[in-house]
Amino acid sequence: MRIADCIRCGAGIGFRDQELCHRCRKRERETALRDLCPVCQKFLWLQPDTGRCARCSRTCVDCGHIVRYKDATRCRVCQRRAAAAMARSDCARCGRRGIIRPDTGWCGTCSRAAPPPLPVLACSQCGELRRKKGPGLCHRCWTNHASRPITQAANLAERLIEPPGWLVEFAEFAVERHCVARACLMVSAVGRLLTDGESQHPQALLERSRTPGRSAGALARTLEAFFVERHLAFGLDQEARLASGRRQRRVEGSPVPLRPAVAAFADQLVRSRERARRAGTLVRTDSTIEGSIAVVRDLAQFLVSERHKSDWSAVDVSDVEAFLKRQPRNRHRRLSALRQFFAWARKSKILLTDPTRSLPPVRSRVLAGDTLTVGEQRRVFRRWTTDLDDVHPHEAFVGILALLHAASSSELRRLRVGDIDVRHRTMRLGERPHPVPLDPASISALTRCLRHRESLGTLNPHLIVTKVTKPRQTPASTAYMSHILDPARTSIKRLRATRILDMIVTLDPKIVAEVLGMNAGGLVAYLADSVDAGRLADRT
């Protein structure tokens, strides 16, 4: 009996107080049981164990992808992979698993015939019968051929959309200073820098090529020399960065209560050096600035640990005196640094009085270093002139120059090949106003040193070239020079002091100062207060 019509589909309703027919009511009950599937995003019945619909609950047992058919346990890709794995077995020849060929009984790799070997021909460079690797070259000659990095750079330029014009020139520049393998690695590294999406300007490339740490890296140094020589970039400020890091470590080594003043003093030293550089006056070196900061840091540590003072305004004369007594031989250097610091601190209103003003002046400096006796001089001279098989050319040259010509470590480090006049047997040594004449012993040591430099095949303009400075343009390190005479159990400083002392005793200090390019006042420390009895007239 039809009582009313369904408000949704219009079908007849046989019950009172009903607005929907039985089909629409069933559809609503089913809709209430449905929810949004998290995988297919459809309103379906979700399985209670997986939280997905029935179709999305069927997943592959291997990869987890959805399986289309109800009776399948793997997807199509995994099913093929499993079938291929079932068809494989162990090869009787190589022992690896593979598909065994019925005609040979081996896997596919073992069943295929090996390619024929390359014909053995004579290498166009070394002439040996080898299998050729490159253009008419054997493997060894092709690996060491200088055209490899140049060809690599040319191929890289063809792949780039906008290749720089200096790419092939850089490969030629690198192969002149490094081995072929290192030059190829550098060209590859430059290619990665050119394709990383960043700026291709030479200065930007130079900054990105720098490796983190103390050393900038071989690539950064080679790029710097190449760009600076062709005026494409300003170069790296690696030395300035290292000096800034050393200053910062010295500042951080001071106690926390006294650290702000030490940091401000370090900044003031750097600013004063920049002002002196602009004014054209004598500037402080990095070692001088670092030494002054180190002295102030040591004083700060002494005040906190020994004197229990955490304020610079509480420092008095007794504190400074106690600090200087800890190293009496270094009193002159430490007192000068402290006077400079306290003068700046008083000017900056950090303290009211200068505790170093009332300290007595330092006595006149005298020679306190060790010198060699006549027997020791003969021993080292005989070693550097006769025992040539066991002595390195650098050791003999440095020792002879320091012993006979009072050459310093800085003068020997910066000595260039262009400063040597072989024809007139003279050399320009440091800032000396006159050329230094060379005696036969010095000429012999110089000749050995030049031969050793030629054997390295370097473009470094300096005379003393090491393995580290061979591909560079920089002089040898100070550490190398300080240990170069260790086999002879002496040092450049002792040899130089011995020679200067002998010259001061036998000649006038002004003449010695003119010859060595020094200040006559700096040679007063070498004057002795005793008289050589062998030079006195015989009174009998």
Side-chain angles (χ1 to χ4, degrees):
M1 182 177 180
R2 186 177 186 135
I3 300 177
D5 296 334
C6 179
I7 60 177
R8 181 171 299 175
C9 63
I13 301 175
F15 299 94
R16 296 179 180 178
D17 301 332
Q18 295 289 337
E19 296 180 353
L20 300 176
C21 63
H22 67 282
R23 294 185 181 90
C24 294
R25 289 197 303 269
K26 182 180 179 181
R27 192 178 296 112
E28 279 194 354
R29 288 193 300 268
E30 293 177 353
T31 304
L33 296 176
R34 295 180 181 181
D35 199 356
L36 183 66
C37 179
V39 180
C40 62
Q41 300 296 322
K42 295 180 181 180
F43 282 94
L44 299 173
W45 288 358
L46 302 184
Q47 302 295 327
D49 52 346
T50 61
R52 303 177 182 179
C53 62
R55 183 176 181 276
C56 296
S57 298
R58 297 191 299 269
T59 56
C60 177
V61 295
D62 294 336
C63 63
H65 290 176
I66 298 176
V67 180
R68 177 179 297 181
Y69 302 103
K70 296 181 179 179
D71 56 346
T73 58
R74 289 185 176 91
C75 62
R76 183 177 300 177
V77 177
C78 295
Q79 188 175 1
R80 291 176 180 176
R81 188 181 295 113
M86 292 294 295
R88 293 179 180 180
S89 59
D90 295 337
C91 178
R93 184 178 184 183
C94 63
R96 294 178 296 183
R97 295 187 63 83
I99 299 178
I100 305 301
R101 302 297 190 268
D103 52 348
T104 61
W106 297 336
C107 63
T109 305
C110 298
S111 299
R112 287 190 294 269
L118 297 175
V120 179
L121 300 175
C123 177
S124 59
Q125 184 171 349
C126 64
E128 296 184 3
L129 295 177
R130 303 278 185 178
R131 289 185 174 89
K132 294 183 179 181
K133 177 71 175 179
L137 303 175
C138 63
H139 178 75
R140 182 178 59 184
C141 296
W142 176 81
T143 304
N144 299 326
H145 201 269
S147 62
R148 280 185 58 204
I150 301 175
T151 305
Q152 183 181 358
N155 296 336
L156 176 61
E158 294 179 359
R159 295 196 303 268
L160 296 176
I161 300 177
E162 296 181 357
W166 47 263
L167 189 56
V168 178
E169 295 181 5
F170 171 73
E172 298 174 354
F173 183 85
V175 79
E176 290 178 355
R177 289 157 176 80
H178 301 276
C179 63
V180 176
R182 177 65 64 87
C184 292
L185 291 177
M186 289 185 177
V187 174
S188 301
V190 171
R192 289 192 295 270
L193 293 176
L194 293 174
T195 56
D196 59 357
E198 300 292 336
S199 174
Q200 296 186 5
H201 191 272
Q203 189 68 37
L205 291 175
L206 191 58
E207 293 295 335
R208 295 204 304 274
S209 65
R210 188 203 309 263
T211 58
R214 179 175 177 81
S215 176
L219 175 62
R221 289 191 299 267
T222 308
L223 280 175
E224 179 184 15
F226 176 76
F227 287 149
V228 172
E229 181 179 339
R230 286 158 177 76
H231 306 285
L232 298 177
F234 293 104
L236 296 172
D237 54 347
Q238 187 69 12
E239 296 297 331
R241 289 194 177 191
L242 295 178
S244 177
R246 291 192 297 268
R247 292 194 300 268
Q248 185 64 27
R249 287 193 296 270
R250 284 162 174 76
V251 170
E252 293 177 354
S254 58
V256 177
L258 306 177
R259 187 178 301 173
V262 180
F265 176 65
D267 295 339
Q268 190 271 339
L269 291 178
V270 176
R271 289 194 303 268
S272 63
R273 181 176 63 179
E274 295 299 328
R275 290 194 300 268
R277 182 178 289 113
R278 290 193 297 267
T281 58
L282 187 63
V283 298
R284 296 186 181 93
T285 61
D286 291 328
S287 60
T288 303
I289 295 178
E290 293 160 10
S292 301
I293 300 174
V295 171
V296 179
R297 176 204 60 192
D298 296 342
L299 176 62
Q301 294 176 354
F302 173 77
L303 292 175
V304 173
S305 60
E306 301 292 338
R307 296 291 177 163
H308 306 288
K309 294 182 179 181
S310 59
D311 192 358
W312 287 109
S313 60
V315 181
D316 54 9
V317 181
S318 61
D319 300 331
V320 179
E321 281 287 356
F323 173 71
L324 295 176
K325 288 181 180 179
R326 303 184 68 178
Q327 296 182 7
R329 299 189 63 179
N330 200 18
R331 178 185 175 90
H332 175 75
R333 175 69 184 93
R334 306 181 89 182
L335 181 57
S336 61
L338 292 180
R339 282 178 173 172
Q340 183 180 3
F341 168 73
F342 283 114
W344 167 83
R346 184 175 179 273
K347 184 179 180 180
S348 302
K349 303 298 187 295
I350 298 178
L351 45 81
L352 297 178
T353 59
D354 186 357
T356 61
R357 179 179 297 180
S358 60
L359 292 177
V362 183
R363 297 179 302 174
S364 60
R365 300 182 61 183
V366 296
L367 180 63
D370 298 332
T371 57
L372 273 68
T373 62
V374 177
E376 292 175 340
Q377 296 180 41
R378 291 173 180 173
R379 177 183 60 82
V380 295
F381 185 80
R382 189 181 303 110
R383 170 184 173 86
W384 296 328
T385 54
T386 58
D387 302 338
L388 301 182
D389 296 336
D390 301 333
V391 178
H392 195 274
H394 290 174
E395 178 192 344
F397 176 74
V398 169
I400 290 294
L401 265 291
L403 180 63
L404 301 182
H405 303 282
S408 63
S409 176
S410 177
E411 292 174 342
L412 295 172
R413 283 180 62 241
R414 304 182 186 280
L415 179 62
R416 296 172 175 260
V417 180
D419 299 334
I420 302 172
D421 190 354
V422 181
R423 179 181 178 183
H424 297 89
R425 295 194 173 189
T426 59
M427 68 169 55
R428 288 285 182 180
L429 201 58
E431 298 182 357
R432 298 188 182 186
H434 306 285
V436 178
L438 300 178
D439 54 278
S442 302
I443 287 292
S444 178
L446 175 62
T447 304
R448 290 189 61 213
C449 198
L450 289 174
R451 291 176 182 174
H452 175 71
R453 183 182 179 278
E454 291 177 0
S455 65
L456 296 177
T458 179
L459 298 178
N460 195 318
H462 297 86
L463 178 63
I464 299 179
V465 180
T466 63
K467 293 182 179 179
V468 177
T469 61
K470 174 184 175 181
R472 310 181 188 179
Q473 303 292 321
T474 57
S477 63
T478 55
Y480 179 80
M481 298 299 297
S482 61
H483 295 284
I484 194 172
L485 299 181
D486 287 351
R489 301 190 302 274
T490 184
S491 62
I492 300 177
K493 186 177 181 180
R494 291 185 62 188
L495 296 174
R496 174 179 166 84
T498 303
R499 182 56 179 164
I500 293 178
L501 182 61
D502 181 69
M503 295 174 65
I504 287 294
V505 173
T506 57
L507 299 176
D508 187 83
K510 293 184 178 181
I511 299 178
V512 178
E514 179 65 21
V515 171
L516 300 181
M518 299 175 60
N519 188 3
L523 297 175
V524 178
Y526 292 88
L527 291 175
D529 55 356
S530 60
V531 179
D532 189 0
R535 302 182 62 189
L536 296 177
D538 190 2
R539 297 182 181 180
T540 60

